[in-house]
CSV table of all heavy atoms in Angstrom, one decimal:
chain,number,residue,atom,x,y,z
A,1,ALA,N,140.5,102.3,100.0
A,1,ALA,CA,140.2,103.1,101.2
A,1,ALA,C,138.8,103.0,101.6
A,1,ALA,O,138.5,102.9,102.8
A,1,ALA,CB,140.6,104.5,101.0
A,2,ALA,N,137.9,103.0,100.7
A,2,ALA,CA,136.5,102.9,101.0
A,2,ALA,C,136.2,101.5,101.6
A,2,ALA,O,135.4,101.4,102.6
A,2,ALA,CB,135.6,103.1,99.8
A,3,LEU,N,136.8,100.5,101.0
A,3,LEU,CA,136.6,99.1,101.5
A,3,LEU,C,137.1,99.0,102.9
A,3,LEU,O,136.6,98.3,103.8
A,3,LEU,CB,137.2,98.1,100.6
A,3,LEU,CG,136.5,98.1,99.2
A,3,LEU,CD1,137.2,97.0,98.3
A,3,LEU,CD2,135.0,97.8,99.2
A,4,ALA,N,138.3,99.6,103.2
A,4,ALA,CA,138.9,99.6,104.5
A,4,ALA,C,137.9,100.3,105.5
A,4,ALA,O,137.8,99.8,106.7
A,4,ALA,CB,140.2,100.3,104.5
A,5,ASP,N,137.3,101.4,105.1
A,5,ASP,CA,136.4,102.1,106.0
A,5,ASP,C,135.2,101.1,106.3
A,5,ASP,O,134.7,101.1,107.4
A,5,ASP,CB,135.9,103.3,105.4
A,5,ASP,CG,136.9,104.4,105.3
A,5,ASP,OD1,137.9,104.3,106.1
A,5,ASP,OD2,136.8,105.4,104.5
A,6,LEU,N,134.7,100.5,105.3
A,6,LEU,CA,133.6,99.5,105.5
A,6,LEU,C,133.9,98.4,106.4
A,6,LEU,O,133.1,98.0,107.3
A,6,LEU,CB,133.1,99.0,104.1
A,6,LEU,CG,132.4,99.9,103.2
A,6,LEU,CD1,132.2,99.3,101.8
A,6,LEU,CD2,131.1,100.5,103.8
A,7,ARG,N,135.2,97.9,106.3
A,7,ARG,CA,135.6,96.8,107.2
A,7,ARG,C,135.6,97.3,108.7
A,7,ARG,O,135.1,96.6,109.6
A,7,ARG,CB,137.0,96.4,106.8
A,7,ARG,CG,137.4,95.1,107.6
A,7,ARG,CD,138.8,94.6,107.0
A,7,ARG,NE,138.7,94.2,105.6
A,7,ARG,CZ,138.2,93.1,105.2
A,7,ARG,NH1,137.7,92.2,106.0
A,7,ARG,NH2,138.1,92.8,103.9
A,8,GLN,N,136.0,98.5,108.9
A,8,GLN,CA,136.0,99.1,110.3
A,8,GLN,C,134.6,99.2,110.8
A,8,GLN,O,134.3,98.9,111.9
A,8,GLN,CB,136.8,100.4,110.3
A,8,GLN,CG,138.3,100.3,110.1
A,8,GLN,CD,139.0,101.6,110.3
A,8,GLN,OE1,138.4,102.7,110.2
A,8,GLN,NE2,140.3,101.5,110.4
A,9,MET,N,133.7,99.7,109.9
A,9,MET,CA,132.3,99.9,110.3
A,9,MET,C,131.7,98.6,110.6
A,9,MET,O,130.9,98.4,111.6
A,9,MET,CB,131.5,100.6,109.1
A,9,MET,CG,131.9,102.0,108.8
A,9,MET,SD,130.9,102.6,107.4
A,9,MET,CE,131.7,104.2,107.2
A,10,ALA,N,132.0,97.5,109.8
A,10,ALA,CA,131.4,96.2,110.0
A,10,ALA,C,131.9,95.6,111.3
A,10,ALA,O,131.1,95.0,112.0
A,10,ALA,CB,131.8,95.3,108.9
A,11,GLU,N,133.1,95.8,111.7
A,11,GLU,CA,133.7,95.3,112.9
A,11,GLU,C,133.0,96.0,114.1
A,11,GLU,O,132.8,95.4,115.2
A,11,GLU,CB,135.2,95.5,113.0
A,11,GLU,CG,135.9,94.6,112.0
A,11,GLU,CD,137.4,94.9,111.9
A,11,GLU,OE1,137.8,95.9,112.5
A,11,GLU,OE2,138.1,94.2,111.2
A,12,ALA,N,132.7,97.3,113.9
A,12,ALA,CA,132.0,98.0,115.0
A,12,ALA,C,130.6,97.7,115.1
A,12,ALA,O,130.0,97.9,116.2
A,12,ALA,CB,132.3,99.5,114.8
A,13,ASP,N,129.9,97.3,114.0
A,13,ASP,CA,128.5,97.0,114.0
A,13,ASP,C,128.2,95.8,113.2
A,13,ASP,O,127.7,95.8,112.1
A,13,ASP,CB,127.8,98.3,113.4
A,13,ASP,CG,126.3,98.1,113.4
A,13,ASP,OD1,125.7,97.2,114.0
A,13,ASP,OD2,125.6,99.0,112.7
A,14,PRO,N,128.5,94.6,113.8
A,14,PRO,CA,128.3,93.4,113.0
A,14,PRO,C,126.8,93.1,112.7
A,14,PRO,O,126.5,92.6,111.6
A,14,PRO,CB,128.8,92.3,114.0
A,14,PRO,CG,128.9,92.9,115.3
A,14,PRO,CD,129.2,94.4,115.1
A,15,ALA,N,125.9,93.5,113.5
A,15,ALA,CA,124.5,93.3,113.2
A,15,ALA,C,124.1,94.2,112.0
A,15,ALA,O,123.4,93.7,111.1
A,15,ALA,CB,123.6,93.7,114.4
A,16,GLY,N,124.6,95.4,112.0
A,16,GLY,CA,124.3,96.3,110.8
A,16,GLY,C,124.9,95.8,109.6
A,16,GLY,O,124.3,95.9,108.5
A,17,ALA,N,126.1,95.2,109.7
A,17,ALA,CA,126.8,94.6,108.5
A,17,ALA,C,126.0,93.4,108.0
A,17,ALA,O,125.9,93.2,106.8
A,17,ALA,CB,128.2,94.2,108.9
A,18,ALA,N,125.4,92.6,108.9
A,18,ALA,CA,124.6,91.5,108.5
A,18,ALA,C,123.4,91.9,107.7
A,18,ALA,O,123.0,91.3,106.7
A,18,ALA,CB,124.3,90.6,109.7
A,19,ARG,N,122.8,93.0,108.2
A,19,ARG,CA,121.6,93.5,107.5
A,19,ARG,C,122.0,94.1,106.1
A,19,ARG,O,121.2,93.9,105.2
A,19,ARG,CB,120.9,94.6,108.4
A,19,ARG,CG,120.2,94.0,109.6
A,19,ARG,CD,119.4,95.1,110.3
A,19,ARG,NE,120.2,96.2,110.8
A,19,ARG,CZ,120.7,96.3,112.0
A,19,ARG,NH1,120.5,95.3,112.8
A,19,ARG,NH2,121.3,97.4,112.4
A,20,ALA,N,123.1,94.7,106.1
A,20,ALA,CA,123.6,95.3,104.8
A,20,ALA,C,123.8,94.1,103.8
A,20,ALA,O,123.5,94.2,102.6
A,20,ALA,CB,124.8,96.1,105.0
A,21,LEU,N,124.4,93.0,104.3
A,21,LEU,CA,124.7,91.9,103.4
A,21,LEU,C,123.3,91.3,102.9
A,21,LEU,O,123.2,90.9,101.7
A,21,LEU,CB,125.4,90.8,104.2
A,21,LEU,CG,125.7,89.5,103.4
A,21,LEU,CD1,126.5,89.7,102.1
A,21,LEU,CD2,126.4,88.5,104.3
A,22,ASP,N,122.3,91.2,103.8
A,22,ASP,CA,121.0,90.7,103.4
A,22,ASP,C,120.5,91.6,102.2
A,22,ASP,O,119.8,91.1,101.3
A,22,ASP,CB,120.1,90.7,104.5
A,22,ASP,CG,120.3,89.6,105.5
A,22,ASP,OD1,121.0,88.6,105.1
A,22,ASP,OD2,119.9,89.7,106.7
A,23,ARG,N,120.7,92.9,102.3
A,23,ARG,CA,120.2,93.8,101.2
A,23,ARG,C,120.9,93.5,99.9
A,23,ARG,O,120.3,93.6,98.8
A,23,ARG,CB,120.2,95.2,101.6
A,23,ARG,CG,119.2,95.6,102.7
A,23,ARG,CD,119.1,97.1,103.0
A,23,ARG,NE,120.2,97.5,103.9
A,23,ARG,CZ,120.1,97.4,105.3
A,23,ARG,NH1,119.0,96.9,105.8
A,23,ARG,NH2,121.1,97.8,106.0
A,24,VAL,N,122.2,93.3,100.0
A,24,VAL,CA,123.0,92.9,98.8
A,24,VAL,C,122.4,91.6,98.2
A,24,VAL,O,122.2,91.5,97.0
A,24,VAL,CB,124.5,92.8,99.1
A,24,VAL,CG1,125.2,92.2,97.8
A,24,VAL,CG2,125.0,94.2,99.4
A,25,ARG,N,122.2,90.6,99.0
A,25,ARG,CA,121.6,89.4,98.6
A,25,ARG,C,120.3,89.5,97.9
A,25,ARG,O,120.0,88.9,96.9
A,25,ARG,CB,121.5,88.4,99.7
A,25,ARG,CG,122.8,87.8,100.2
A,25,ARG,CD,122.6,87.0,101.4
A,25,ARG,NE,123.8,86.2,101.8
A,25,ARG,CZ,124.0,85.7,103.1
A,25,ARG,NH1,123.1,86.0,104.0
A,25,ARG,NH2,125.0,85.0,103.3
A,26,GLU,N,119.4,90.4,98.5
A,26,GLU,CA,118.1,90.6,98.0
A,26,GLU,C,118.2,91.2,96.6
A,26,GLU,O,117.5,90.8,95.7
A,26,GLU,CB,117.3,91.5,98.9
A,26,GLU,CG,115.9,91.8,98.4
A,26,GLU,CD,115.1,92.7,99.3
A,26,GLU,OE1,115.5,93.9,99.3
A,26,GLU,OE2,114.1,92.3,99.9
A,27,LEU,N,119.1,92.2,96.5
A,27,LEU,CA,119.3,92.8,95.2
A,27,LEU,C,119.8,91.8,94.2
A,27,LEU,O,119.3,91.7,93.0
A,27,LEU,CB,120.3,94.0,95.3
A,27,LEU,CG,120.8,94.6,94.0
A,27,LEU,CD1,119.6,95.3,93.3
A,27,LEU,CD2,122.0,95.6,94.2
A,28,ARG,N,120.7,91.0,94.6
A,28,ARG,CA,121.3,90.0,93.7
A,28,ARG,C,120.2,89.0,93.2
A,28,ARG,O,120.2,88.8,91.9
A,28,ARG,CB,122.4,89.2,94.5
A,28,ARG,CG,123.0,88.0,93.7
A,28,ARG,CD,123.8,87.1,94.6
A,28,ARG,NE,123.0,86.5,95.6
A,28,ARG,CZ,123.5,85.8,96.7
A,28,ARG,NH1,124.8,85.8,96.9
A,28,ARG,NH2,122.7,85.3,97.6
A,29,GLU,N,119.4,88.6,94.0
A,29,GLU,CA,118.3,87.6,93.6
A,29,GLU,C,117.3,88.3,92.7
A,29,GLU,O,116.8,87.6,91.8
A,29,GLU,CB,117.7,86.9,94.8
A,29,GLU,CG,118.7,86.1,95.7
A,29,GLU,CD,119.5,85.2,94.8
A,29,GLU,OE1,118.9,84.3,94.1
A,29,GLU,OE2,120.7,85.3,94.8
A,30,ALA,N,116.9,89.5,93.0
A,30,ALA,CA,116.0,90.2,92.2
A,30,ALA,C,116.5,90.4,90.8
A,30,ALA,O,115.8,90.3,89.8
A,30,ALA,CB,115.6,91.6,92.9
A,31,VAL,N,117.8,90.8,90.7
A,31,VAL,CA,118.4,91.0,89.4
A,31,VAL,C,118.5,89.7,88.7
A,31,VAL,O,118.2,89.6,87.4
A,31,VAL,CB,119.9,91.6,89.6
A,31,VAL,CG1,120.6,91.5,88.2
A,31,VAL,CG2,119.8,93.0,90.1
A,32,HIS,N,118.8,88.6,89.3
A,32,HIS,CA,118.9,87.3,88.7
A,32,HIS,C,117.5,86.9,88.1
A,32,HIS,O,117.4,86.5,87.0
A,32,HIS,CB,119.3,86.2,89.7
A,32,HIS,CG,119.3,84.8,89.1
A,32,HIS,ND1,118.2,84.0,89.2
A,32,HIS,CD2,120.2,84.2,88.3
A,32,HIS,CE1,118.5,82.8,88.6
A,32,HIS,NE2,119.7,82.9,88.0
A,33,GLU,N,116.5,87.1,88.9
A,33,GLU,CA,115.1,86.8,88.5
A,33,GLU,C,114.7,87.7,87.3
A,33,GLU,O,114.1,87.2,86.3
A,33,GLU,CB,114.1,87.0,89.6
A,33,GLU,CG,112.7,86.6,89.3
A,33,GLU,CD,111.8,86.7,90.5
A,33,GLU,OE1,112.3,87.0,91.6
A,33,GLU,OE2,110.5,86.6,90.3
A,34,LEU,N,115.1,88.9,87.3
A,34,LEU,CA,114.7,89.9,86.2
A,34,LEU,C,115.5,89.5,85.0
A,34,LEU,O,114.9,89.5,83.9
A,34,LEU,CB,114.9,91.3,86.7
A,34,LEU,CG,114.3,92.4,85.9
A,34,LEU,CD1,112.9,92.2,85.6
A,34,LEU,CD2,114.5,93.7,86.6
A,35,VAL,N,116.8,89.3,85.1
A,35,VAL,CA,117.6,89.0,83.9
A,35,VAL,C,117.1,87.7,83.3
A,35,VAL,O,117.0,87.5,82.1
A,35,VAL,CB,119.1,88.9,84.3
A,35,VAL,CG1,119.9,88.3,83.1
A,35,VAL,CG2,119.6,90.3,84.6
A,36,THR,N,116.8,86.7,84.1
A,36,THR,CA,116.3,85.4,83.6
A,36,THR,C,115.0,85.6,82.8
A,36,THR,O,114.8,85.0,81.7
A,36,THR,CB,116.0,84.5,84.8
A,36,THR,OG1,117.2,84.2,85.5
A,36,THR,CG2,115.4,83.2,84.3
A,37,ALA,N,114.1,86.5,83.3
A,37,ALA,CA,112.9,86.8,82.6
A,37,ALA,C,113.2,87.5,81.3
A,37,ALA,O,112.6,87.1,80.2
A,37,ALA,CB,111.9,87.6,83.4
A,38,LEU,N,114.1,88.4,81.3
A,38,LEU,CA,114.4,89.2,80.1
A,38,LEU,C,115.1,88.3,79.0
A,38,LEU,O,114.9,88.5,77.8
A,38,LEU,CB,115.3,90.4,80.4
A,38,LEU,CG,114.6,91.5,81.2
A,38,LEU,CD1,115.6,92.5,81.7
A,38,LEU,CD2,113.5,92.1,80.5
A,39,LEU,N,115.8,87.3,79.5
A,39,LEU,CA,116.4,86.4,78.5
A,39,LEU,C,115.4,85.4,78.0
A,39,LEU,O,115.7,84.6,77.0
A,39,LEU,CB,117.5,85.6,79.2
A,39,LEU,CG,118.8,86.4,79.4
A,39,LEU,CD1,119.8,85.6,80.2
A,39,LEU,CD2,119.4,86.8,78.1
A,40,GLY,N,114.2,85.3,78.5
A,40,GLY,CA,113.2,84.4,78.1
A,40,GLY,C,113.5,82.9,78.5
A,40,GLY,O,113.0,82.0,77.9
A,41,ALA,N,114.2,82.8,79.6
A,41,ALA,CA,114.6,81.4,80.0
A,41,ALA,C,113.4,80.6,80.5
A,41,ALA,O,113.4,79.4,80.3
A,41,ALA,CB,115.6,81.5,81.2
A,42,ALA,N,112.4,81.3,80.9
A,42,ALA,CA,111.2,80.5,81.4
A,42,ALA,C,110.0,80.7,80.4
A,42,ALA,O,108.9,80.5,80.8
A,42,ALA,CB,110.8,81.0,82.8
């Protein structure tokens, strides 16, 4: 139900949805960088 609500919000505000996606991507890349460091990969 929450995901259905989000879909409706995104359809009503595609620009806002695009910005929200960018924030998810930013979080994703920051977590990847941090986990990589914690694993000692570099």
Side-chain angles (χ1 to χ4, degrees):
L3 297 181
D5 289 343
L6 290 175
R7 188 174 299 278
Q8 289 184 346
M9 292 179 187
E11 291 172 353
D13 183 10
R19 291 191 294 270
L21 174 62
D22 285 342
R23 286 187 280 273
V24 170
R25 285 173 169 157
E26 182 184 66
L27 172 66
R28 178 189 64 190
E29 297 311 302
V31 169
H32 176 265
E33 187 176 349
L34 194 47
V35 169
T36 297
L38 292 172
L39 285 174

